[in-house]
Amino acid sequence: MTARNELRLLPWPGRDDKPCYLSTDDRTGHMSRLADNIESVQLGMAAELLDQASETLSDEDPTLEDVCLLAHRLTGSLRDALRVAISRGHLLAARDAHRS
């Protein structure tokens, strides 16, 4: 098992929207691969949403409903992307610590 500072923050929340972590030495195991795949999907969806946001905001007269929906979806996507960034940053820091 990994040390406490090497736990992987998973790309989905746990119970009560709390962080969910994976403790394993096997970066190619089923749960690690599942997390990698979900992170990839989340980042791909964020890129698509960014394009949609550009289209909506370039519209000369977007409806309030469209802008509110966009803000809601962007908030969720940003939350997911931030969780991925934090997780990957922790993984990089743990790898660098092993190399030292």
Side-chain angles (χ1 to χ4, degrees), residues 6 9 13 24 27 34 64 70 86 89 92 100:
E6 295 179 41
L9 176 63
T24 181
R27 299 208 189 276
L34 177 63
L64 180 59
L70 175 62
I86 290 168
L92 289 173
S100 298

Side-chain angles (χ1 to χ4, degrees), residues 78-97:
L78 184 57
R79 185 176 295 113
D80 291 343
L82 182 59
R83 187 179 290 124
V84 170
I86 290 168
S87 176
R88 291 185 180 184
H90 286 224
L91 290 173
L92 289 173
R95 286 184 197 141
D96 288 346

Side-chain angles (χ1 to χ4, degrees), residues 6-28:
E6 295 179 41
L7 294 176
R8 179 182 181 165
L9 176 63
L10 293 172
W12 55 82
R15 185 175 285 160
D16 297 326
D17 207 34
K18 295 187 186 229
C20 188
Y21 295 92
L22 173 64
S23 176
T24 181
D25 290 332
D26 186 3
R27 299 208 189 276
T28 63

Side-chain angles (χ1 to χ4, degrees), residues 32-44:
S32 293
R33 289 191 326 269
L34 177 63
D36 290 342
N37 289 338
I38 290 177
E39 285 179 352
S40 179
V41 167
Q42 288 173 328
L43 294 176

Side-chain angles (χ1 to χ4, degrees), residues 46-72:
E48 290 176 18
L49 183 56
L50 183 58
D51 289 340
Q52 292 174 10
S54 295
E55 289 176 21
T56 299
L57 296 175
S58 68
D59 186 354
E60 288 188 26
D61 194 23
T63 67
L64 180 59
E65 183 180 341
D66 287 342
V67 174
C68 286
L69 178 61
L70 175 62
H72 179 72

